[in-house]
Amino acid sequence: MSAFTIILPDMLLERIVVKAKSLSLQNNELIESVLELYLDDQEREEYIRTFKMTSQDEEVLSMSDEGMQDYLKLLDQ
């Protein structure tokens, strides 16, 4: 594990300290947990944006349709 030093606004640090105490966590444990959730959420949002863009792409839709037709042929065999 690596160490990383940051400067936070006093009010944010106070919120972290209070919340960490209420959850019986160390400050760094709370920060780690929150960052993991945030990064997971960002990845999920990017996946959704990409999926929406792809779902409107005519070329992708055409390839998908062709692939489904091939799959149905295989099922018939």
Side-chain angles (χ1 to χ4, degrees):
M1 188 170 295
S2 299
F4 182 73
T5 303
I6 59 171
I7 298 171
L8 297 172
D10 291 338
M11 290 189 68
L12 179 57
L13 184 56
E14 184 179 324
R15 289 176 65 192
I16 291 168
V17 169
V18 169
K19 182 53 87 171
K21 282 183 183 179
S22 75
L23 297 171
S24 299
L25 296 172
Q26 297 291 321
N27 294 342
N28 65 310
E29 292 173 320
L30 176 63
I31 293 168
E32 182 180 340
S33 177
V34 169
L35 283 173
E36 286 284 345
L37 290 171
Y38 176 79
L39 293 172
D40 288 347
D41 186 57
Q42 292 300 303
E43 288 175 5
R44 191 172 19 263
E45 290 296 321
E46 180 62 26
Y47 175 78
I48 290 169
R49 278 192 297 276
T50 302
F51 183 78
K52 285 180 180 178
M53 285 177 31
T54 303
S55 70
Q56 297 173 5
D57 186 308
E58 292 297 325
E59 187 175 330
V60 171
L61 292 173
S62 176
M63 289 186 327
S64 175
D65 188 42
E66 290 171 13
M68 187 57 72
Q69 289 173 11
D70 291 342
Y71 177 69
L72 291 173
K73 287 179 189 175
L74 287 173
L75 289 177
D76 286 340
Q77 295 174 358

Coordinates of all heavy atoms in Angstrom, one line a residue:
M1 N 0.8 -1.2 0.0 CA 0.0 0.0 0.0 C 0.9 1.2 0.0 O 1.9 1.2 0.6 CB -0.9 0.0 1.2 CG -2.0 1.1 1.2 SD -3.2 1.0 2.4 CE -4.1 -0.5 2.0
S2 N 0.4 2.3 -0.7 CA 1.2 3.5 -0.8 C 0.6 4.6 0.1 O -0.6 4.6 0.3 CB 1.3 4.0 -2.2 OG 1.9 3.0 -3.0
A3 N 1.4 5.5 0.4 CA 1.0 6.7 1.2 C 0.8 7.9 0.2 O 1.5 8.0 -0.8 CB 2.0 7.1 2.2
F4 N -0.2 8.7 0.5 CA -0.5 9.8 -0.4 C -1.0 11.0 0.5 O -1.9 10.8 1.3 CB -1.6 9.4 -1.4 CG -2.0 10.5 -2.3 CD1 -1.2 10.8 -3.4 CD2 -3.2 11.2 -2.2 CE1 -1.5 11.8 -4.3 CE2 -3.6 12.1 -3.1 CZ -2.8 12.4 -4.2
T5 N -0.4 12.1 0.3 CA -0.7 13.3 1.2 C -1.5 14.3 0.4 O -1.2 14.6 -0.8 CB 0.6 14.0 1.7 OG1 1.3 13.0 2.4 CG2 0.2 15.1 2.6
I6 N -2.6 14.7 0.9 CA -3.4 15.8 0.3 C -3.8 16.9 1.3 O -3.7 16.7 2.5 CB -4.8 15.2 -0.3 CG1 -5.6 14.6 0.8 CG2 -4.5 14.2 -1.4 CD1 -7.0 14.1 0.3
I7 N -4.2 18.0 0.7 CA -4.7 19.1 1.5 C -6.2 19.2 1.3 O -6.6 19.3 0.1 CB -3.9 20.4 1.2 CG1 -2.5 20.3 1.4 CG2 -4.5 21.6 1.9 CD1 -1.6 21.4 0.9
L8 N -6.9 19.2 2.4 CA -8.4 19.3 2.3 C -8.9 20.6 3.0 O -8.3 21.0 4.0 CB -9.1 18.1 2.9 CG -8.8 16.8 2.3 CD1 -9.3 15.6 3.2 CD2 -9.3 16.7 0.9
P9 N -10.0 21.1 2.5 CA -10.6 22.2 3.3 C -11.0 21.8 4.7 O -11.4 20.6 4.9 CB -11.9 22.6 2.5 CG -11.6 22.0 1.1 CD -10.7 20.8 1.3
D10 N -10.8 22.7 5.7 CA -11.1 22.3 7.1 C -12.5 21.7 7.3 O -12.6 20.8 8.0 CB -10.9 23.6 7.9 CG -9.5 24.0 8.0 OD1 -8.6 23.2 7.8 OD2 -9.2 25.2 8.4
M11 N -13.5 22.3 6.6 CA -14.8 21.8 6.8 C -15.0 20.4 6.3 O -15.7 19.6 6.9 CB -15.8 22.8 6.2 CG -15.9 24.1 6.9 SD -17.3 25.2 6.3 CE -18.7 24.2 6.9
L12 N -14.4 20.1 5.2 CA -14.4 18.7 4.6 C -13.8 17.8 5.5 O -14.3 16.7 5.8 CB -13.9 18.7 3.2 CG -13.9 17.3 2.5 CD1 -15.3 16.8 2.4 CD2 -13.2 17.4 1.2
L13 N -12.6 18.1 6.0 CA -11.9 17.2 6.9 C -12.7 17.0 8.2 O -12.8 15.9 8.7 CB -10.5 17.8 7.3 CG -9.6 16.9 8.2 CD1 -9.4 15.5 7.6 CD2 -8.3 17.6 8.4
E14 N -13.3 18.1 8.7 CA -14.2 17.9 9.9 C -15.3 16.9 9.6 O -15.6 16.1 10.5 CB -14.7 19.3 10.3 CG -15.5 19.2 11.6 CD -16.0 20.6 12.0 OE1 -15.3 21.6 11.8 OE2 -17.1 20.7 12.5
R15 N -15.9 17.0 8.5 CA -17.0 16.1 8.1 C -16.5 14.7 8.1 O -17.2 13.7 8.5 CB -17.6 16.5 6.8 CG -18.4 17.8 6.8 CD -18.9 18.2 5.5 NE -19.9 17.2 5.0 CZ -20.3 17.2 3.7 NH1 -19.9 18.1 2.8 NH2 -21.2 16.3 3.3
I16 N -15.3 14.5 7.5 CA -14.7 13.1 7.4 C -14.5 12.6 8.8 O -14.8 11.4 9.1 CB -13.4 13.2 6.6 CG1 -13.7 13.5 5.1 CG2 -12.6 11.9 6.8 CD1 -12.5 13.8 4.3
V17 N -13.9 13.4 9.7 CA -13.6 13.0 11.0 C -14.9 12.6 11.8 O -14.9 11.5 12.4 CB -12.8 14.1 11.8 CG1 -12.7 13.7 13.3 CG2 -11.4 14.3 11.2
V18 N -15.9 13.4 11.7 CA -17.1 13.1 12.4 C -17.8 11.8 11.8 O -18.2 11.0 12.6 CB -18.1 14.3 12.2 CG1 -19.5 14.0 12.7 CG2 -17.6 15.5 13.0
K19 N -17.8 11.7 10.5 CA -18.5 10.5 9.9 C -17.7 9.3 10.2 O -18.2 8.2 10.5 CB -18.6 10.7 8.4 CG -19.3 9.5 7.7 CD -20.6 9.2 8.3 CE -21.8 10.0 7.8 NZ -23.1 9.5 8.2
A20 N -16.4 9.3 10.1 CA -15.5 8.2 10.4 C -15.7 7.7 11.9 O -15.9 6.5 12.1 CB -14.0 8.5 10.2
K21 N -15.8 8.6 12.8 CA -16.0 8.3 14.2 C -17.4 7.6 14.3 O -17.5 6.6 15.1 CB -15.9 9.5 15.1 CG -14.5 9.9 15.4 CD -14.5 11.1 16.4 CE -13.1 11.6 16.6 NZ -13.0 12.7 17.5
S22 N -18.4 8.2 13.7 CA -19.8 7.6 13.8 C -19.8 6.2 13.2 O -20.7 5.4 13.6 CB -20.8 8.5 13.2 OG -20.7 8.4 11.8
L23 N -18.9 5.9 12.3 CA -18.9 4.5 11.7 C -17.8 3.6 12.3 O -17.6 2.5 11.8 CB -18.7 4.7 10.2 CG -19.8 5.4 9.4 CD1 -19.3 5.6 8.0 CD2 -21.1 4.6 9.4
S24 N -17.2 4.1 13.3 CA -16.1 3.4 14.0 C -15.0 3.0 13.0 O -14.5 1.9 12.9 CB -16.6 2.2 14.7 OG -17.5 2.5 15.7
L25 N -14.6 4.0 12.1 CA -13.6 3.8 11.1 C -12.5 4.8 11.3 O -12.7 5.8 11.9 CB -14.2 4.0 9.7 CG -15.2 3.1 9.2 CD1 -15.8 3.6 7.9 CD2 -14.7 1.7 9.0
Q26 N -11.3 4.4 10.8 CA -10.2 5.4 10.7 C -10.5 6.4 9.5 O -11.3 6.0 8.6 CB -8.9 4.7 10.4 CG -8.5 3.8 11.5 CD -8.1 4.5 12.8 OE1 -7.5 5.6 12.7 NE2 -8.5 3.9 13.9
N27 N -10.0 7.6 9.6 CA -10.3 8.6 8.5 C -9.9 8.0 7.2 O -10.7 8.1 6.2 CB -9.5 9.9 8.8 CG -10.0 10.6 10.0 OD1 -11.1 10.3 10.5 ND2 -9.2 11.5 10.5
N28 N -8.7 7.4 7.1 CA -8.3 6.9 5.8 C -9.2 5.7 5.3 O -9.3 5.6 4.1 CB -6.8 6.4 5.9 CG -6.6 5.3 6.8 OD1 -7.0 5.3 7.9 ND2 -5.9 4.2 6.3
E29 N -9.7 4.9 6.2 CA -10.7 3.9 5.8 C -11.9 4.4 5.2 O -12.4 3.9 4.2 CB -11.0 3.0 7.0 CG -9.9 2.2 7.5 CD -10.3 1.4 8.8 OE1 -11.0 2.0 9.7 OE2 -9.9 0.3 9.0
L30 N -12.4 5.5 5.8 CA -13.6 6.2 5.2 C -13.3 6.8 3.9 O -14.1 6.6 2.9 CB -14.1 7.2 6.2 CG -15.3 8.0 5.6 CD1 -16.5 7.2 5.4 CD2 -15.7 9.2 6.6
I31 N -12.2 7.5 3.8 CA -11.8 8.1 2.5 C -11.6 7.0 1.4 O -12.1 7.2 0.3 CB -10.5 9.0 2.7 CG1 -10.9 10.2 3.6 CG2 -10.0 9.4 1.3 CD1 -9.6 10.9 4.1
E32 N -11.0 5.9 1.7 CA -10.8 4.9 0.8 C -12.1 4.3 0.3 O -12.3 4.1 -0.9 CB -9.9 3.7 1.4 CG -9.6 2.6 0.5 CD -8.8 1.5 1.1 OE1 -8.1 1.8 2.2 OE2 -8.8 0.4 0.6
S33 N -13.0 4.1 1.2 CA -14.3 3.5 0.9 C -15.1 4.5 0.0 O -15.7 4.1 -1.0 CB -15.1 3.2 2.2 OG -16.4 2.8 1.9
V34 N -15.1 5.7 0.3 CA -15.8 6.7 -0.4 C -15.2 6.9 -1.8 O -15.9 7.0 -2.8 CB -15.8 8.1 0.3 CG1 -16.3 9.2 -0.6 CG2 -16.7 8.0 1.6
L35 N -13.9 6.9 -1.9 CA -13.3 7.0 -3.2 C -13.6 5.8 -4.1 O -13.8 5.9 -5.3 CB -11.7 7.1 -3.1 CG -11.3 8.5 -2.7 CD1 -9.8 8.5 -2.4 CD2 -11.6 9.5 -3.8
E36 N -13.6 4.6 -3.5 CA -14.0 3.3 -4.3 C -15.4 3.5 -4.8 O -15.6 3.2 -6.0 CB -13.9 2.1 -3.4 CG -12.5 1.7 -3.1 CD -11.8 0.9 -4.2 OE1 -12.5 0.5 -5.2 OE2 -10.6 0.8 -4.2
L37 N -16.3 3.9 -4.0 CA -17.7 4.1 -4.4 C -17.8 5.1 -5.5 O -18.5 4.9 -6.5 CB -18.6 4.5 -3.2 CG -18.8 3.4 -2.2 CD1 -19.5 4.0 -1.0 CD2 -19.7 2.3 -2.8
Y38 N -17.1 6.2 -5.4 CA -17.1 7.3 -6.4 C -16.6 6.8 -7.7 O -17.2 7.0 -8.8 CB -16.3 8.5 -5.9 CG -16.3 9.6 -6.9 CD1 -17.3 10.4 -7.2 CD2 -15.1 9.7 -7.7 CE1 -17.3 11.4 -8.1 CE2 -15.1 10.7 -8.7 CZ -16.1 11.6 -8.9 OH -16.1 12.5 -9.9
L39 N -15.4 6.1 -7.7 CA -14.8 5.6 -8.9 C -15.6 4.6 -9.6 O -15.8 4.5 -10.8 CB -13.4 5.1 -8.6 CG -12.4 6.2 -8.2 CD1 -11.1 5.6 -7.8 CD2 -12.2 7.3 -9.3
D40 N -16.2 3.7 -8.8 CA -17.1 2.7 -9.3 C -18.3 3.3 -10.0 O -18.8 2.9 -11.1 CB -17.6 1.7 -8.2 CG -16.6 0.8 -7.8 OD1 -15.5 0.6 -8.4 OD2 -16.8 0.1 -6.7
D41 N -18.9 4.4 -9.4 CA -20.0 5.1 -9.9 C -19.6 5.8 -11.3 O -20.4 5.7 -12.2 CB -20.5 6.1 -8.9 CG -21.8 6.8 -9.4 OD1 -22.8 6.1 -9.7 OD2 -21.8 8.0 -9.5
Q42 N -18.4 6.4 -11.3 CA -18.0 7.0 -12.5 C -17.8 6.0 -13.7 O -18.2 6.3 -14.8 CB -16.6 7.7 -12.3 CG -16.8 8.9 -11.4 CD -17.7 10.0 -11.9 OE1 -17.6 10.4 -13.1 NE2 -18.8 10.3 -11.2
E43 N -17.3 4.8 -13.3 CA -17.1 3.8 -14.4 C -18.5 3.3 -14.9 O -18.7 3.1 -16.1 CB -16.4 2.6 -13.8 CG -14.9 2.9 -13.6 CD -14.1 1.7 -12.9 OE1 -14.7 0.6 -12.7 OE2 -13.0 1.9 -12.6
R44 N -19.4 3.2 -14.0 CA -20.8 2.8 -14.3 C -21.4 3.8 -15.2 O -22.1 3.5 -16.2 CB -21.6 2.6 -13.1 CG -22.9 1.9 -13.2 CD -23.6 1.5 -11.9 NE -23.2 2.2 -10.7 CZ -22.4 1.7 -9.8 NH1 -21.8 0.5 -10.0 NH2 -22.0 2.3 -8.8
E45 N -21.3 5.1 -14.9 CA -21.8 6.2 -15.7 C -21.2 6.2 -17.1 O -21.9 6.4 -18.1 CB -21.6 7.5 -15.0 CG -22.4 7.8 -13.8 CD -23.9 7.8 -14.1 OE1 -24.3 8.3 -15.1 OE2 -24.7 7.2 -13.3
E46 N -19.9 5.9 -17.2 CA -19.2 5.9 -18.5 C -19.7 4.7 -19.3 O -20.0 4.8 -20.5 CB -17.7 5.8 -18.3 CG -16.9 5.7 -19.6 CD -17.1 7.0 -20.5 OE1 -17.3 8.0 -19.9 OE2 -16.9 6.8 -21.7
Y47 N -20.0 3.6 -18.7 CA -20.5 2.4 -19.3 C -21.9 2.7 -19.9 O -22.2 2.4 -21.0 CB -20.6 1.2 -18.4 CG -21.3 0.0 -19.0 CD1 -20.6 -0.8 -19.8 CD2 -22.6 -0.3 -18.6 CE1 -21.2 -1.9 -20.4 CE2 -23.2 -1.4 -19.2 CZ -22.5 -2.2 -20.0 OH -23.2 -3.3 -20.6
I48 N -22.7 3.4 -19.1 CA -24.1 3.8 -19.5 C -24.0 4.7 -20.7 O -24.7 4.6 -21.7 CB -24.9 4.4 -18.4 CG1 -25.2 3.3 -17.3 CG2 -26.2 5.0 -18.9 CD1 -25.7 3.8 -16.0
R49 N -23.1 5.8 -20.6 CA -23.0 6.7 -21.7 C -22.6 6.0 -23.0 O -23.1 6.3 -24.1 CB -22.0 7.8 -21.4 CG -22.5 8.9 -20.5 CD -21.6 10.1 -20.5 NE -20.3 9.8 -19.8 CZ -20.1 9.8 -18.5 NH1 -21.1 10.1 -17.7 NH2 -18.9 9.5 -18.0
T50 N -21.6 5.1 -22.9 CA -21.1 4.4 -24.1 C -22.2 3.5 -24.6 O -22.4 3.4 -25.9 CB -19.9 3.5 -23.7 OG1 -18.9 4.4 -23.1 CG2 -19.3 2.8 -24.9
F51 N -22.9 2.8 -23.8 CA -24.0 1.9 -24.2 C -25.0 2.7 -25.0 O -25.5 2.3 -26.0 CB -24.6 1.2 -23.0 CG -25.7 0.2 -23.4 CD1 -25.3 -1.0 -24.0 CD2 -27.0 0.6 -23.3 CE1 -26.3 -1.9 -24.4 CE2 -28.0 -0.3 -23.7 CZ -27.6 -1.6 -24.2
K52 N -25.4 3.9 -24.4 CA -26.4 4.8 -25.1 C -25.9 5.2 -26.5 O -26.7 5.2 -27.4 CB -26.8 5.9 -24.2 CG -27.7 5.6 -23.1 CD -28.0 6.8 -22.2 CE -28.9 6.4 -21.0 NZ -29.2 7.5 -20.2
M53 N -24.7 5.6 -26.5 CA -24.1 6.1 -27.8 C -24.1 4.9 -28.8 O -24.5 5.1 -30.0 CB -22.7 6.6 -27.6 CG -22.7 8.0 -27.0 SD -21.0 8.7 -26.7 CE -20.0 8.0 -28.0
T54 N -23.7 3.8 -28.4 CA -23.5 2.6 -29.2 C -24.9 2.1 -29.7 O -25.1 1.7 -30.8 CB -22.8 1.4 -28.5 OG1 -21.6 1.9 -28.0 CG2 -22.7 0.2 -29.4
S55 N -25.9 2.2 -28.8 CA -27.3 1.8 -29.2 C -27.9 2.6 -30.3 O -28.9 2.2 -30.9 CB -28.2 1.8 -28.0 OG -28.5 3.1 -27.5
Q56 N -27.3 3.8 -30.6 CA -27.8 4.7 -31.6 C -27.0 4.7 -32.9 O -27.3 5.3 -33.8 CB -28.0 6.1 -31.1 CG -29.0 6.2 -29.9 CD -29.0 7.5 -29.3 OE1 -28.3 8.5 -29.7 NE2 -29.8 7.7 -28.3
D57 N -25.9 3.9 -32.8 CA -24.9 3.8 -34.0 C -25.5 2.8 -35.0 O -25.6 1.6 -34.7 CB -23.6 3.4 -33.4 CG -22.5 3.4 -34.5 OD1 -22.7 2.8 -35.6 OD2 -21.4 4.0 -34.3
E58 N -25.8 3.3 -36.2 CA -26.3 2.4 -37.2 C -25.4 1.2 -37.6 O -25.9 0.1 -37.8 CB -26.6 3.3 -38.5 CG -27.7 4.3 -38.3 CD -29.1 3.6 -38.0 OE1 -29.4 2.5 -38.6 OE2 -29.8 4.2 -37.2
E59 N -24.1 1.5 -37.6 CA -23.2 0.4 -38.0 C -23.2 -0.7 -36.9 O -23.3 -1.9 -37.2 CB -21.8 0.9 -38.2 CG -20.8 -0.1 -38.7 CD -19.4 0.5 -38.9 OE1 -19.4 1.7 -39.3 OE2 -18.5 -0.2 -38.8
V60 N -23.2 -0.3 -35.7 CA -23.3 -1.3 -34.6 C -24.6 -2.0 -34.6 O -24.6 -3.3 -34.4 CB -23.1 -0.6 -33.2 CG1 -23.3 -1.5 -32.1 CG2 -21.7 0.0 -33.1
L61 N -25.7 -1.3 -34.8 CA -27.0 -2.0 -34.9 C -27.1 -3.0 -36.1 O -27.6 -4.1 -35.9 CB -28.1 -0.9 -35.1 CG -28.3 0.0 -33.9 CD1 -29.4 1.1 -34.2 CD2 -28.8 -0.8 -32.7
S62 N -26.5 -2.6 -37.2 CA -26.4 -3.5 -38.3 C -25.6 -4.8 -38.0 O -26.1 -5.9 -38.3 CB -25.8 -2.8 -39.5 OG -25.7 -3.7 -40.6
M63 N -24.4 -4.6 -37.4 CA -23.6 -5.8 -37.0 C -24.3 -6.6 -36.0 O -24.3 -7.9 -36.1 CB -22.3 -5.3 -36.5 CG -21.4 -4.7 -37.5 SD -19.7 -4.3 -36.9 CE -19.9 -3.8 -35.2
S64 N -25.0 -6.0 -35.1 CA -25.8 -6.8 -34.1 C -26.9 -7.6 -34.7 O -27.1 -8.8 -34.4 CB -26.4 -5.8 -33.1 OG -27.2 -6.5 -32.2
D65 N -27.6 -7.0 -35.7 CA -28.7 -7.7 -36.4 C -28.1 -8.9 -37.2 O -28.7 -10.0 -37.2 CB -29.4 -6.7 -37.3 CG -30.6 -7.3 -37.9 OD1 -31.4 -8.0 -37.2 OD2 -30.9 -7.1 -39.2
E66 N -27.0 -8.6 -37.9 CA -26.3 -9.7 -38.6 C -25.9 -10.9 -37.7 O -26.1 -12.0 -38.0 CB -25.1 -9.2 -39.4 CG -25.5 -8.3 -40.6 CD -24.3 -7.6 -41.2 OE1 -23.1 -8.0 -40.9 OE2 -24.5 -6.7 -41.9
G67 N -25.4 -10.5 -36.6 CA -24.9 -11.5 -35.6 C -26.1 -12.3 -35.1 O -26.0 -13.5 -34.9
M68 N -27.2 -11.6 -34.9 CA -28.4 -12.3 -34.4 C -29.0 -13.3 -35.4 O -29.4 -14.4 -35.1 CB -29.5 -11.3 -34.0 CG -30.7 -11.9 -33.3 SD -30.3 -12.9 -31.9 CE -29.9 -11.7 -30.7
Q69 N -28.9 -12.9 -36.7 CA -29.4 -13.7 -37.8 C -28.5 -15.0 -37.9 O -29.0 -16.1 -38.0 CB -29.4 -13.0 -39.1 CG -30.4 -11.9 -39.2 CD -30.3 -11.1 -40.5 OE1 -29.5 -11.4 -41.4 NE2 -31.0 -10.0 -40.5
D70 N -27.2 -14.8 -37.7 CA -26.3 -16.0 -37.7 C -26.6 -16.9 -36.5 O -26.6 -18.1 -36.7 CB -24.8 -15.5 -37.7 CG -24.4 -14.8 -38.9 OD1 -25.0 -15.0 -40.0 OD2 -23.3 -14.1 -38.9
Y71 N -26.8 -16.3 -35.4 CA -27.2 -17.1 -34.2 C -28.4 -17.9 -34.4 O -28.5 -19.1 -34.0 CB -27.3 -16.2 -33.0 CG -27.7 -16.9 -31.7 CD1 -26.8 -17.7 -31.1 CD2 -28.9 -16.6 -31.1 CE1 -27.1 -18.4 -29.9 CE2 -29.3 -17.3 -30.0 CZ -28.4 -18.1 -29.4 OH -28.7 -18.8 -28.2
L72 N -29.4 -17.3 -35.0 CA -30.7 -18.0 -35.2 C -30.5 -19.1 -36.2 O -31.1 -20.2 -36.1 CB -31.8 -17.0 -35.7 CG -32.3 -16.0 -34.7 CD1 -33.2 -15.0 -35.4 CD2 -33.0 -16.7 -33.6
K73 N -29.6 -18.9 -37.2 CA -29.3 -20.0 -38.2 C -28.7 -21.2 -37.4 O -29.0 -22.4 -37.7 CB -28.4 -19.5 -39.3 CG -29.1 -18.6 -40.3 CD -28.1 -18.1 -41.3 CE -28.7 -17.1 -42.2 NZ -27.7 -16.5 -43.1
L74 N -27.8 -20.9 -36.5 CA -27.1 -22.0 -35.8 C -28.1 -22.7 -34.9 O -28.0 -24.0 -34.7 CB -26.0 -21.4 -34.8 CG -24.8 -20.9 -35.5 CD1 -23.8 -20.2 -34.6 CD2 -24.0 -22.1 -36.2
L75 N -29.1 -22.0 -34.3 CA -30.1 -22.7 -33.5 C -31.0 -23.6 -34.4 O -31.4 -24.7 -33.9 CB -31.0 -21.6 -32.8 CG -30.4 -20.8 -31.7 CD1 -31.3 -19.8 -31.2 CD2 -29.9 -21.7 -30.6
D76 N -31.2 -23.2 -35.6 CA -32.1 -24.0 -36.5 C -31.3 -25.3 -36.9 O -32.0 -26.3 -37.2 CB -32.5 -23.3 -37.7 CG -33.5 -22.2 -37.5 OD1 -34.2 -22.4 -36.4 OD2 -33.7 -21.3 -38.3
Q77 N -30.0 -25.3 -36.9 CA -29.2 -26.5 -37.3 C -29.2 -27.5 -36.2 O -29.2 -28.2 -35.6 CB -27.8 -26.1 -37.7 CG -27.8 -25.2 -38.9 CD -26.4 -24.7 -39.2 OE1 -25.4 -25.0 -38.5 NE2 -26.2 -24.0 -40.2

